[in-house]
Amino acid sequence: MTKRITLRRPDDWHLHVRDGAVLEAILPFTAQNFERAIIMPNLTPPIVRHQDASSYKARIKSVATAVGQPNFDPLMTLYLTETSDPQNIREGFEGGIITAAKLYPAGATTNSDAGVQDIEKIYPVLETLQELGMPLLVHGEVVDSAIDIFDREAVFIERTLIKLVERFPDLPIVFEHITSAEGVDFVASASKKVAATITPHHLVINRNAMLVGGMRPHYYCLPVAKRESHRAALVNAAVSGSPKFFLGTDSAPHTIDTKESACGCAGIFNVPVALSVLAHIFEAAGALDKLEAFCSVNGAVFYGLKLNKGSLTLVKSDTPVRFNDRVRTTNGEIRVFDPMFDLYWSLEE
Ligand code: NCD
Ligand code: ZN
């Protein structure tokens, strides 16, 4: 008998859709699977003012409409800099243009150079976010050459996050794409104002995927995958049903030539297989009944948004389902995340 699971339509609480030709090529995969997505603002130049967010949103909506998904709802974010204007953020939030603000420590990841070096410089902005109840989305890694890359998330908690949460106790904070047991523990024991997104790939790979038997750039992303015990902690958190953990794919497309390079870009493009991979992981953990909370409920509740009305059905085939391993764009091809095991779940036609 075919196994099926019907979920309330999912949302993606952390997504990079880029712009131009890449946006056109990849957005259909998101719009087909997700009702809403939190759109990351790390374009070049970054989306800093609500006016930039508004025109970026219009470009995304026009692509969604052109591919027959006019109801897809991009939730826009602003990229915080040390000169961000609290008044502009307030206008954007109160005008319904933006949903959240993203904190990139300067130099932590792709297009983060304009980010924040000294967090105290953005305290006035954080006061405004707290007053508005507007979520702060945090890329939680320290930028310090003395700190090993595999420790940067744990050290960020100690050096920055603990203080931030104490100083702004009513500020909703999403610790984005957590990759460590320390991240899980911090969020689980923090107040209700603190939640975390978890990516499909960090539920699947540990750092061996990147480094054993050859250097595999398509498993390189930031924060970098950690050792196996951390992956196991992330799976436990995701399948726990705790409202503090929800899906953010962090799907981050880069063309193959920029990944397979002497200095390859960080980012994994996973949206075409994201729900299939998640169903696999949740089923293996005996927790398919928690998949809907993770993909379709917890995030919306944390953001104070309505739950989606529609639904989506995944079916399990007896034989492996073949997904395309790449997407073509006029800028070059983009590799789709390969979990290195067969996938059986797919969207019902
Ligand atoms: C993201 C990107 O390429 O924009 N890369 C990544 O490895 N996740 C940036 C980010 O979210 O850190
Ligand atoms: Zn990201």
Side-chain angles (χ1 to χ4, degrees):
M1 205 187 77
T2 323
K3 231 172 155 178
R4 309 164 84 237
I5 179 169
T6 296
L7 307 174
R8 194 182 281 280
R9 222 170 135 70
D11 299 306
D12 182 350
W13 299 99
H14 183 129
L15 176 69
H16 301 267
V17 291
R18 315 303 191 203
D19 214 342
V22 173
L23 170 65
E24 283 173 27
I26 63 158
L27 192 71
F29 296 97
T30 288
Q32 191 188 14
N33 290 289
F34 298 95
E35 179 93 7
R36 298 172 285 201
I38 285 279
I39 306 296
M40 286 295 136
N42 62 332
L43 302 186
T44 18
I47 303 294
V48 172
R49 298 173 59 78
H50 71 70
Q51 292 84 348
D52 310 326
S54 191
S55 47
Y56 187 27
K57 179 172 183 166
R59 298 199 292 283
I60 297 170
K61 282 295 282 183
S62 104
V63 174
T65 302
V67 299
Q69 301 282 359
N71 295 330
F72 173 67
D73 189 7
L75 305 176
M76 307 311 289
T77 63
L78 294 185
Y79 182 118
L80 295 180
T81 73
E82 290 184 359
T83 55
S84 282
D85 172 9
Q87 185 53 28
N88 183 271
I89 294 175
R90 176 185 296 278
E91 278 168 26
F93 186 73
E94 289 178 340
I97 302 159
I98 51 170
T99 301
K102 179 76 189 279
L103 168 62
Y104 288 101
T109 187
T110 309
N111 293 341
S112 62
D113 291 349
V116 174
Q117 241 157 15
D118 175 4
I119 190 150
E120 294 194 8
K121 294 235 171 79
I122 63 160
Y123 274 9
V125 167
L126 300 183
E127 293 286 1
T128 301
L129 298 185
Q130 176 166 256
E131 185 199 321
L132 296 169
M134 175 175 162
L136 175 72
L137 315 183
V138 178
H139 183 109
E141 289 190 285
V142 288
V143 181
D144 180 343
S145 57
I147 304 297
D148 189 278
I149 187 137
F150 292 101
D151 298 331
R152 288 183 176 195
E153 183 169 297
V155 174
F156 183 85
I157 297 171
E158 289 161 22
R159 286 192 189 168
T160 308
L161 208 46
I162 290 174
K163 271 185 239 155
L164 195 65
V165 168
E166 269 171 21
R167 174 72 177 72
F168 298 97
D170 293 324
L171 174 63
I173 296 177
V174 184
F175 193 178
E176 295 292 335
H177 42 49
I178 56 169
T179 58
S180 65
E182 290 89 343
V184 169
D185 292 345
F186 177 81
V187 171
S189 59
S191 84
K192 275 194 188 144
K193 294 283 174 186
V194 180
T197 52
I198 302 179
T199 78
H201 46 280
H202 289 111
L203 295 175
V204 170
I205 58 165
N206 60 37
R207 61 200 194 176
N208 286 359
M210 215 172 28
L211 297 169
V212 172
M215 212 168 61
R216 298 176 202 280
H218 296 290
Y219 296 103
Y220 173 59
C221 65
L222 288 169
V224 73
K226 311 292 190 293
R227 62 171 66 241
E228 175 59 15
S229 54
H230 295 283
R231 187 195 70 86
L234 294 170
V235 171
N236 284 338
V239 306
S240 69
S242 159
K244 286 174 158 276
F245 300 101
F246 41 87
L247 172 63
T249 65
D250 193 23
S251 186
H254 292 275
T255 53
I256 291 177
D257 56 313
T258 60
K259 293 284 294 171
E260 296 176 8
S261 137
C263 185
C265 295
I268 293 177
F269 174 57
N270 61 27
V271 163
V273 295
L275 293 177
S276 182
V277 166
L278 289 169
H280 184 107
I281 294 286
F282 276 65
E283 184 181 38
L288 263 184
D289 61 323
K290 300 292 194 320
L291 184 60
E292 184 176 60
F294 184 70
C295 298
S296 319
V297 177
N298 297 347
V301 171
F302 183 84
Y303 274 82
L305 297 172
K306 287 199 183 112
L307 299 186
N308 295 326
K309 290 215 172 67
S311 64
L312 160 159
T313 298
L314 299 170
V315 286
K316 188 178 182 188
S317 150
D318 294 332
T319 51
V321 182
R322 300 281 160 230
F323 290 90
N324 288 335
D325 68 350
R326 58 195 67 206
V327 171
R328 284 193 179 78
T329 83
T330 51
N331 287 7
E333 290 185 334
I334 295 163
R335 213 21 133 73
V336 177
F337 175 60
D338 172 3
M340 294 181 286
F341 48 69
D342 285 335
L343 290 169
Y344 294 87
W345 291 94
S346 61
L347 216 60
E348 190 171 60
E349 294 296 321

PDB file of all heavy atoms in Angstrom, residues 151-175:
ATOM      1  N   ASP A 151      34.083  25.803  15.794  1.00  0.00           N
ATOM      2  CA  ASP A 151      33.668  26.278  17.129  1.00  0.00           C
ATOM      3  C   ASP A 151      32.952  27.623  17.084  1.00  0.00           C
ATOM      4  O   ASP A 151      32.553  28.151  18.116  1.00  0.00           O
ATOM      5  CB  ASP A 151      34.903  26.438  18.042  1.00  0.00           C
ATOM      6  CG  ASP A 151      35.620  25.121  18.265  1.00  0.00           C
ATOM      7  OD1 ASP A 151      34.953  24.069  18.225  1.00  0.00           O
ATOM      8  OD2 ASP A 151      36.854  25.145  18.471  1.00  0.00           O
ATOM      9  N   ARG A 152      32.808  28.176  15.890  1.00  0.00           N
ATOM     10  CA  ARG A 152      32.367  29.573  15.830  1.00  0.00           C
ATOM     11  C   ARG A 152      30.930  29.789  16.288  1.00  0.00           C
ATOM     12  O   ARG A 152      30.587  30.868  16.767  1.00  0.00           O
ATOM     13  CB  ARG A 152      32.607  30.141  14.423  1.00  0.00           C
ATOM     14  CG  ARG A 152      34.079  30.346  14.184  1.00  0.00           C
ATOM     15  CD  ARG A 152      34.387  30.968  12.856  1.00  0.00           C
ATOM     16  NE  ARG A 152      35.830  31.195  12.782  1.00  0.00           N
ATOM     17  CZ  ARG A 152      36.412  31.972  11.893  1.00  0.00           C
ATOM     18  NH1 ARG A 152      35.687  32.598  10.988  1.00  0.00           N
ATOM     19  NH2 ARG A 152      37.714  32.132  11.893  1.00  0.00           N
ATOM     20  N   GLU A 153      30.100  28.768  16.137  1.00  0.00           N
ATOM     21  CA  GLU A 153      28.714  28.907  16.616  1.00  0.00           C
ATOM     22  C   GLU A 153      28.677  28.865  18.157  1.00  0.00           C
ATOM     23  O   GLU A 153      28.046  29.705  18.792  1.00  0.00           O
ATOM     24  CB  GLU A 153      27.854  27.796  16.016  1.00  0.00           C
ATOM     25  CG  GLU A 153      26.388  27.893  16.384  1.00  0.00           C
ATOM     26  CD  GLU A 153      25.531  26.924  15.558  1.00  0.00           C
ATOM     27  OE1 GLU A 153      25.481  27.069  14.322  1.00  0.00           O
ATOM     28  OE2 GLU A 153      24.920  26.024  16.162  1.00  0.00           O
ATOM     29  N   ALA A 154      29.376  27.897  18.725  1.00  0.00           N
ATOM     30  CA  ALA A 154      29.373  27.764  20.194  1.00  0.00           C
ATOM     31  C   ALA A 154      29.965  29.015  20.849  1.00  0.00           C
ATOM     32  O   ALA A 154      29.452  29.509  21.866  1.00  0.00           O
ATOM     33  CB  ALA A 154      30.160  26.522  20.606  1.00  0.00           C
ATOM     34  N   VAL A 155      31.022  29.555  20.258  1.00  0.00           N
ATOM     35  CA  VAL A 155      31.654  30.749  20.835  1.00  0.00           C
ATOM     36  C   VAL A 155      30.738  31.970  20.675  1.00  0.00           C
ATOM     37  O   VAL A 155      30.676  32.834  21.552  1.00  0.00           O
ATOM     38  CB  VAL A 155      33.058  30.982  20.214  1.00  0.00           C
ATOM     39  CG1 VAL A 155      33.661  32.292  20.700  1.00  0.00           C
ATOM     40  CG2 VAL A 155      33.977  29.813  20.550  1.00  0.00           C
ATOM     41  N   PHE A 156      29.983  32.018  19.596  1.00  0.00           N
ATOM     42  CA  PHE A 156      29.033  33.131  19.404  1.00  0.00           C
ATOM     43  C   PHE A 156      27.997  33.144  20.532  1.00  0.00           C
ATOM     44  O   PHE A 156      27.616  34.208  21.027  1.00  0.00           O
ATOM     45  CB  PHE A 156      28.333  33.000  18.048  1.00  0.00           C
ATOM     46  CG  PHE A 156      27.391  34.132  17.744  1.00  0.00           C
ATOM     47  CD1 PHE A 156      27.854  35.309  17.174  1.00  0.00           C
ATOM     48  CD2 PHE A 156      26.034  34.034  18.049  1.00  0.00           C
ATOM     49  CE1 PHE A 156      26.981  36.367  16.903  1.00  0.00           C
ATOM     50  CE2 PHE A 156      25.164  35.092  17.780  1.00  0.00           C
ATOM     51  CZ  PHE A 156      25.645  36.257  17.207  1.00  0.00           C
ATOM     52  N   ILE A 157      27.569  31.969  20.935  1.00  0.00           N
ATOM     53  CA  ILE A 157      26.588  31.899  22.035  1.00  0.00           C
ATOM     54  C   ILE A 157      27.193  32.533  23.284  1.00  0.00           C
ATOM     55  O   ILE A 157      26.596  33.417  23.903  1.00  0.00           O
ATOM     56  CB  ILE A 157      26.179  30.432  22.310  1.00  0.00           C
ATOM     57  CG1 ILE A 157      25.482  29.836  21.090  1.00  0.00           C
ATOM     58  CG2 ILE A 157      25.279  30.345  23.560  1.00  0.00           C
ATOM     59  CD1 ILE A 157      25.239  28.336  21.174  1.00  0.00           C
ATOM     60  N   GLU A 158      28.405  32.104  23.612  1.00  0.00           N
ATOM     61  CA  GLU A 158      29.058  32.601  24.836  1.00  0.00           C
ATOM     62  C   GLU A 158      29.339  34.094  24.771  1.00  0.00           C
ATOM     63  O   GLU A 158      29.088  34.825  25.722  1.00  0.00           O
ATOM     64  CB  GLU A 158      30.415  31.909  25.044  1.00  0.00           C
ATOM     65  CG  GLU A 158      30.312  30.461  25.433  1.00  0.00           C
ATOM     66  CD  GLU A 158      31.639  29.742  25.162  1.00  0.00           C
ATOM     67  OE1 GLU A 158      32.691  30.420  25.087  1.00  0.00           O
ATOM     68  OE2 GLU A 158      31.599  28.511  25.014  1.00  0.00           O
ATOM     69  N   ARG A 159      29.873  34.545  23.620  1.00  0.00           N
ATOM     70  CA  ARG A 159      30.330  35.939  23.549  1.00  0.00           C
ATOM     71  C   ARG A 159      29.211  36.924  23.258  1.00  0.00           C
ATOM     72  O   ARG A 159      29.283  38.073  23.678  1.00  0.00           O
ATOM     73  CB  ARG A 159      31.383  36.088  22.444  1.00  0.00           C
ATOM     74  CG  ARG A 159      32.713  35.519  22.811  1.00  0.00           C
ATOM     75  CD  ARG A 159      33.726  35.992  21.773  1.00  0.00           C
ATOM     76  NE  ARG A 159      34.992  35.309  21.952  1.00  0.00           N
ATOM     77  CZ  ARG A 159      35.976  35.346  21.058  1.00  0.00           C
ATOM     78  NH1 ARG A 159      35.841  36.035  19.937  1.00  0.00           N
ATOM     79  NH2 ARG A 159      37.102  34.713  21.275  1.00  0.00           N
ATOM     80  N   THR A 160      28.213  36.510  22.503  1.00  0.00           N
ATOM     81  CA  THR A 160      27.236  37.492  22.005  1.00  0.00           C
ATOM     82  C   THR A 160      25.796  37.171  22.383  1.00  0.00           C
ATOM     83  O   THR A 160      25.075  38.029  22.879  1.00  0.00           O
ATOM     84  CB  THR A 160      27.344  37.597  20.461  1.00  0.00           C
ATOM     85  OG1 THR A 160      28.702  37.838  20.122  1.00  0.00           O
ATOM     86  CG2 THR A 160      26.483  38.710  19.921  1.00  0.00           C
ATOM     87  N   LEU A 161      25.388  35.941  22.144  1.00  0.00           N
ATOM     88  CA  LEU A 161      23.959  35.643  22.237  1.00  0.00           C
ATOM     89  C   LEU A 161      23.437  35.721  23.676  1.00  0.00           C
ATOM     90  O   LEU A 161      22.344  36.245  23.921  1.00  0.00           O
ATOM     91  CB  LEU A 161      23.696  34.264  21.625  1.00  0.00           C
ATOM     92  CG  LEU A 161      22.323  34.025  21.032  1.00  0.00           C
ATOM     93  CD1 LEU A 161      21.848  35.156  20.144  1.00  0.00           C
ATOM     94  CD2 LEU A 161      22.330  32.713  20.240  1.00  0.00           C
ATOM     95  N   ILE A 162      24.219  35.216  24.618  1.00  0.00           N
ATOM     96  CA  ILE A 162      23.771  35.237  26.020  1.00  0.00           C
ATOM     97  C   ILE A 162      23.509  36.687  26.454  1.00  0.00           C
ATOM     98  O   ILE A 162      22.461  37.002  27.020  1.00  0.00           O
ATOM     99  CB  ILE A 162      24.812  34.541  26.932  1.00  0.00           C
ATOM    100  CG1 ILE A 162      24.807  33.033  26.648  1.00  0.00           C
ATOM    101  CG2 ILE A 162      24.543  34.823  28.416  1.00  0.00           C
ATOM    102  CD1 ILE A 162      25.888  32.235  27.363  1.00  0.00           C
ATOM    103  N   LYS A 163      24.455  37.560  26.102  1.00  0.00           N
ATOM    104  CA  LYS A 163      24.310  38.980  26.461  1.00  0.00           C
ATOM    105  C   LYS A 163      23.122  39.631  25.755  1.00  0.00           C
ATOM    106  O   LYS A 163      22.374  40.416  26.342  1.00  0.00           O
ATOM    107  CB  LYS A 163      25.580  39.746  26.064  1.00  0.00           C
ATOM    108  CG  LYS A 163      26.637  39.750  27.151  1.00  0.00           C
ATOM    109  CD  LYS A 163      27.806  40.634  26.728  1.00  0.00           C
ATOM    110  CE  LYS A 163      29.077  39.803  26.703  1.00  0.00           C
ATOM    111  NZ  LYS A 163      30.129  40.251  25.845  1.00  0.00           N
ATOM    112  N   LEU A 164      22.964  39.264  24.489  1.00  0.00           N
ATOM    113  CA  LEU A 164      21.885  39.859  23.682  1.00  0.00           C
ATOM    114  C   LEU A 164      20.514  39.528  24.293  1.00  0.00           C
ATOM    115  O   LEU A 164      19.642  40.393  24.423  1.00  0.00           O
ATOM    116  CB  LEU A 164      21.986  39.296  22.268  1.00  0.00           C
ATOM    117  CG  LEU A 164      21.213  39.993  21.173  1.00  0.00           C
ATOM    118  CD1 LEU A 164      21.751  41.394  20.957  1.00  0.00           C
ATOM    119  CD2 LEU A 164      21.333  39.207  19.864  1.00  0.00           C
ATOM    120  N   VAL A 165      20.359  38.288  24.667  1.00  0.00           N
ATOM    121  CA  VAL A 165      19.084  37.825  25.219  1.00  0.00           C
ATOM    122  C   VAL A 165      18.826  38.483  26.582  1.00  0.00           C
ATOM    123  O   VAL A 165      17.690  38.832  26.907  1.00  0.00           O
ATOM    124  CB  VAL A 165      19.106  36.278  25.312  1.00  0.00           C
ATOM    125  CG1 VAL A 165      17.961  35.752  26.136  1.00  0.00           C
ATOM    126  CG2 VAL A 165      19.087  35.675  23.922  1.00  0.00           C
ATOM    127  N   GLU A 166      19.891  38.687  27.358  1.00  0.00           N
ATOM    128  CA  GLU A 166      19.730  39.352  28.659  1.00  0.00           C
ATOM    129  C   GLU A 166      19.369  40.820  28.494  1.00  0.00           C
ATOM    130  O   GLU A 166      18.510  41.346  29.188  1.00  0.00           O
ATOM    131  CB  GLU A 166      21.055  39.281  29.435  1.00  0.00           C
ATOM    132  CG  GLU A 166      21.140  38.049  30.306  1.00  0.00           C
ATOM    133  CD  GLU A 166      22.541  37.883  30.900  1.00  0.00           C
ATOM    134  OE1 GLU A 166      23.302  38.888  30.982  1.00  0.00           O
ATOM    135  OE2 GLU A 166      22.857  36.729  31.242  1.00  0.00           O
ATOM    136  N   ARG A 167      20.027  41.461  27.532  1.00  0.00           N
ATOM    137  CA  ARG A 167      19.832  42.907  27.337  1.00  0.00           C
ATOM    138  C   ARG A 167      18.477  43.206  26.688  1.00  0.00           C
ATOM    139  O   ARG A 167      17.888  44.251  26.922  1.00  0.00           O
ATOM    140  CB  ARG A 167      20.983  43.424  26.454  1.00  0.00           C
ATOM    141  CG  ARG A 167      20.894  44.858  26.009  1.00  0.00           C
ATOM    142  CD  ARG A 167      21.158  45.831  27.154  1.00  0.00           C
ATOM    143  NE  ARG A 167      21.145  47.199  26.677  1.00  0.00           N
ATOM    144  CZ  ARG A 167      20.060  47.874  26.304  1.00  0.00           C
ATOM    145  NH1 ARG A 167      18.886  47.287  26.324  1.00  0.00           N
ATOM    146  NH2 ARG A 167      20.153  49.131  25.890  1.00  0.00           N
ATOM    147  N   PHE A 168      17.982  42.270  25.842  1.00  0.00           N
ATOM    148  CA  PHE A 168      16.702  42.476  25.129  1.00  0.00           C
ATOM    149  C   PHE A 168      15.769  41.281  25.370  1.00  0.00           C
ATOM    150  O   PHE A 168      15.497  40.499  24.457  1.00  0.00           O
ATOM    151  CB  PHE A 168      16.952  42.663  23.620  1.00  0.00           C
ATOM    152  CG  PHE A 168      17.785  43.871  23.291  1.00  0.00           C
ATOM    153  CD1 PHE A 168      19.150  43.749  23.071  1.00  0.00           C
ATOM    154  CD2 PHE A 168      17.212  45.133  23.231  1.00  0.00           C
ATOM    155  CE1 PHE A 168      19.932  44.869  22.786  1.00  0.00           C
ATOM    156  CE2 PHE A 168      17.981  46.255  22.949  1.00  0.00           C
ATOM    157  CZ  PHE A 168      19.344  46.126  22.728  1.00  0.00           C
ATOM    158  N   PRO A 169      15.249  41.153  26.597  1.00  0.00           N
ATOM    159  CA  PRO A 169      14.500  39.941  26.949  1.00  0.00           C
ATOM    160  C   PRO A 169      13.189  39.773  26.184  1.00  0.00           C
ATOM    161  O   PRO A 169      12.706  38.646  26.067  1.00  0.00           O
ATOM    162  CB  PRO A 169      14.231  40.110  28.453  1.00  0.00           C
ATOM    163  CG  PRO A 169      14.406  41.568  28.726  1.00  0.00           C
ATOM    164  CD  PRO A 169      15.389  42.083  27.728  1.00  0.00           C
ATOM    165  N   ASP A 170      12.632  40.862  25.643  1.00  0.00           N
ATOM    166  CA  ASP A 170      11.354  40.735  24.925  1.00  0.00           C
ATOM    167  C   ASP A 170      11.519  40.713  23.414  1.00  0.00           C
ATOM    168  O   ASP A 170      10.533  40.714  22.674  1.00  0.00           O
ATOM    169  CB  ASP A 170      10.412  41.887  25.315  1.00  0.00           C
ATOM    170  CG  ASP A 170       9.995  41.763  26.765  1.00  0.00           C
ATOM    171  OD1 ASP A 170       9.809  40.609  27.221  1.00  0.00           O
ATOM    172  OD2 ASP A 170       9.901  42.794  27.454  1.00  0.00           O
ATOM    173  N   LEU A 171      12.755  40.731  22.953  1.00  0.00           N
ATOM    174  CA  LEU A 171      13.009  40.726  21.506  1.00  0.00           C
ATOM    175  C   LEU A 171      12.889  39.299  20.967  1.00  0.00           C
ATOM    176  O   LEU A 171      13.595  38.408  21.425  1.00  0.00           O
ATOM    177  CB  LEU A 171      14.426  41.268  21.256  1.00  0.00           C
ATOM    178  CG  LEU A 171      14.955  41.214  19.823  1.00  0.00           C
ATOM    179  CD1 LEU A 171      14.117  42.087  18.900  1.00  0.00           C
ATOM    180  CD2 LEU A 171      16.417  41.682  19.795  1.00  0.00           C
ATOM    181  N   PRO A 172      11.985  39.075  19.980  1.00  0.00           N
ATOM    182  CA  PRO A 172      11.951  37.735  19.363  1.00  0.00           C
ATOM    183  C   PRO A 172      13.238  37.505  18.564  1.00  0.00           C
ATOM    184  O   PRO A 172      13.588  38.325  17.715  1.00  0.00           O
ATOM    185  CB  PRO A 172      10.739  37.795  18.432  1.00  0.00           C
ATOM    186  CG  PRO A 172       9.995  39.051  18.788  1.00  0.00           C
ATOM    187  CD  PRO A 172      10.983  39.993  19.395  1.00  0.00           C
ATOM    188  N   ILE A 173      13.914  36.421  18.862  1.00  0.00           N
ATOM    189  CA  ILE A 173      15.192  36.116  18.192  1.00  0.00           C
ATOM    190  C   ILE A 173      15.117  34.733  17.556  1.00  0.00           C
ATOM    191  O   ILE A 173      14.744  33.760  18.211  1.00  0.00           O
ATOM    192  CB  ILE A 173      16.364  36.139  19.203  1.00  0.00           C
ATOM    193  CG1 ILE A 173      16.551  37.547  19.773  1.00  0.00           C
ATOM    194  CG2 ILE A 173      17.665  35.641  18.557  1.00  0.00           C
ATOM    195  CD1 ILE A 173      17.647  37.662  20.829  1.00  0.00           C
ATOM    196  N   VAL A 174      15.471  34.666  16.277  1.00  0.00           N
ATOM    197  CA  VAL A 174      15.623  33.353  15.637  1.00  0.00           C
ATOM    198  C   VAL A 174      17.118  33.120  15.406  1.00  0.00           C
ATOM    199  O   VAL A 174      17.773  33.873  14.684  1.00  0.00           O
ATOM    200  CB  VAL A 174      14.870  33.245  14.295  1.00  0.00           C
ATOM    201  CG1 VAL A 174      14.991  31.822  13.750  1.00  0.00           C
ATOM    202  CG2 VAL A 174      13.407  33.633  14.452  1.00  0.00           C
ATOM    203  N   PHE A 175      17.620  32.103  16.058  1.00  0.00           N
ATOM    204  CA  PHE A 175      19.006  31.671  15.882  1.00  0.00           C
ATOM    205  C   PHE A 175      18.964  30.824  14.601  1.00  0.00           C
ATOM    206  O   PHE A 175      18.408  29.735  14.577  1.00  0.00           O
ATOM    207  CB  PHE A 175      19.386  30.838  17.111  1.00  0.00           C
ATOM    208  CG  PHE A 175      20.841  30.540  17.312  1.00  0.00           C
ATOM    209  CD1 PHE A 175      21.243  29.831  18.439  1.00  0.00           C
ATOM    210  CD2 PHE A 175      21.815  30.956  16.413  1.00  0.00           C
ATOM    211  CE1 PHE A 175      22.573  29.533  18.663  1.00  0.00           C
ATOM    212  CE2 PHE A 175      23.150  30.661  16.636  1.00  0.00           C
ATOM    213  CZ  PHE A 175      23.532  29.943  17.760  1.00  0.00           C
TER     214      PHE A 175
END
